Amino acid sequence: MSSRLVYSTDFGRACAGCGKPAAQCVCKAKARPAGDGIVHVRRETAGRKGKGVTTILGLPLDDAALATLAKQLKAACGSGGTVKDGVVEIQGDHLDKVLAWLKARPEGWTVKRAGG
């Protein structure tokens, strides 16, 4: 019978695979699937009690760069937001602002409006 550490009073929950703190686990790191090279911007209200958010999908950035870009976008829109699973969410309907802002970036991404 093998015993594994699952909780420590020093750092809380531990990963069952690698034994590191759950926040620092590297064995279950999710790799984002490669996109089609197009950044999609759309407005969503589903699952948000009618509140609209502008979502940006398909950005070819790592997590740190995505968080920095989200911070810049939130400042440009004057709104709050977050990054969840590689998707940037900006609170409110800022579709046109986000499209214009992303197209003006020097990276040269192909940016398209998705949805209706």
Side-chain angles (χ1 to χ4, degrees):
M1 185 162 124
S2 174
S3 65
R4 293 184 182 244
L5 178 68
V6 292
Y7 188 84
S8 170
T9 55
D10 293 334
F11 55 81
R13 287 226 171 259
C15 173
C18 61
K20 293 184 178 183
Q24 299 171 356
C25 174
V26 293
C27 65
K28 293 183 182 178
K30 295 180 183 177
R32 252 184 256 129
D36 57 358
I38 299 172
V39 177
H40 297 279
V41 181
R42 67 180 177 201
R43 184 175 182 274
E44 293 182 1
T45 57
R48 295 179 172 87
K49 299 179 183 176
K51 306 283 184 175
V53 296
T54 304
T55 58
I56 301 104
L57 298 97
L59 288 166
L61 301 172
D62 62 344
D63 291 338
L66 206 57
T68 303
L69 182 97
K71 185 175 181 177
Q72 293 170 352
L73 266 171
K74 292 187 298 184
C77 293
S79 183
T82 188
V83 178
K84 291 182 182 174
D85 299 326
V87 178
V88 178
E89 297 180 357
I90 305 295
Q91 295 173 353
D93 186 8
H94 300 286
L95 194 65
D96 296 327
K97 282 183 190 177
V98 171
L99 280 169
W101 192 85
L102 287 172
K103 286 180 181 179
R105 299 280 297 179
E107 287 88 354
W109 294 320
T110 303
V111 182
K112 290 188 177 180
R113 179 188 303 244

